[in-house]
Amino acid sequence: MSLRVGVGITACLSIALVLAACGGGTLYSTGAASSSLARDDAYTCAQQQLKSMGYKQIVHDDEARRVMGQKNDSTYRESNVKFRRHYDQIELQAATGTTLGSDLTVRASTFDEYQTERGITTVEAHATSTVRTDAATLMERCKEAPAGM
């Protein structure tokens, strides 16, 4: 009888470990970099660059120097009648750096929206390669002052 209990416990632990290993992780992508730009200049740069990359600014917090933009992916299709849209979202925050300049943090995410009986439901999906590339480009463009500035 004790052998059966021991096997049951071992089996349960094995299943728990597999679920923990497969189910963990994040759906979004993050990054950080130091910028030679002052905090305000990096924040302004991020706003301008998001716009130039086709993102619609949905949040701007001038006090925290945080900006967020969304861009719809019109090429994405899903065979679900409740599906509304698929979009990428980038959030960047500029903080005062420890040296001259600022510290940039970025979060790149992808979301799906569905029209359900309770209203619009937003579900986070794995960050697409497009939004990850756009986030890296944004950070790269706002790390240094452009030539002639």
Side-chain angles (χ1 to χ4, degrees):
M1 185 143 191
S2 65
L3 179 61
R4 186 180 297 171
V5 172
V7 171
I9 291 173
T10 304
C12 287
L13 286 175
S14 297
I15 291 171
L17 287 174
V18 168
L19 289 175
C22 295
T26 58
L27 298 173
Y28 57 88
S29 178
T30 60
S34 294
S35 173
S36 63
L37 299 175
R39 179 181 180 213
D40 292 341
D41 294 335
Y43 174 65
T44 302
C45 174
Q47 289 178 316
Q48 292 170 349
Q49 292 302 319
L50 279 173
K51 187 176 182 180
S52 74
M53 292 189 295
Y55 285 81
K56 178 183 175 190
Q57 187 172 304
I58 58 166
V59 172
H60 69 278
D61 183 347
D62 292 334
E63 193 171 311
R65 302 300 186 264
R66 183 175 69 94
V67 63
M68 186 182 299
Q70 287 181 354
K71 179 167 66 170
N72 288 331
D73 181 358
S74 59
T75 63
Y76 183 82
R77 300 286 181 252
E78 187 172 316
S79 60
N80 182 340
V81 295
K82 296 181 180 186
F83 177 76
R84 287 183 41 133
R85 69 182 180 133
H86 180 81
Y87 62 91
D88 292 329
Q89 181 171 292
I90 294 179
E91 177 182 356
L92 182 131
Q93 183 161 6
T96 302
T98 54
T99 61
L100 295 175
S102 57
D103 294 328
L104 306 176
T105 55
V106 69
R107 177 179 170 148
S109 309
T110 300
F111 295 92
D112 293 327
E113 268 186 9
Y114 299 91
Q115 180 66 49
T116 65
E117 292 77 14
R118 292 178 288 166
I120 297 173
T121 301
T122 304
V123 178
E124 188 169 5
H126 285 282
T128 63
S129 61
T130 303
V131 74
R132 290 192 310 264
T133 302
D134 287 349
T137 301
L138 175 65
M139 297 242 309
E140 192 61 36
R141 289 180 181 174
C142 294
K143 280 173 61 171
E144 297 179 1
M149 186 174 182

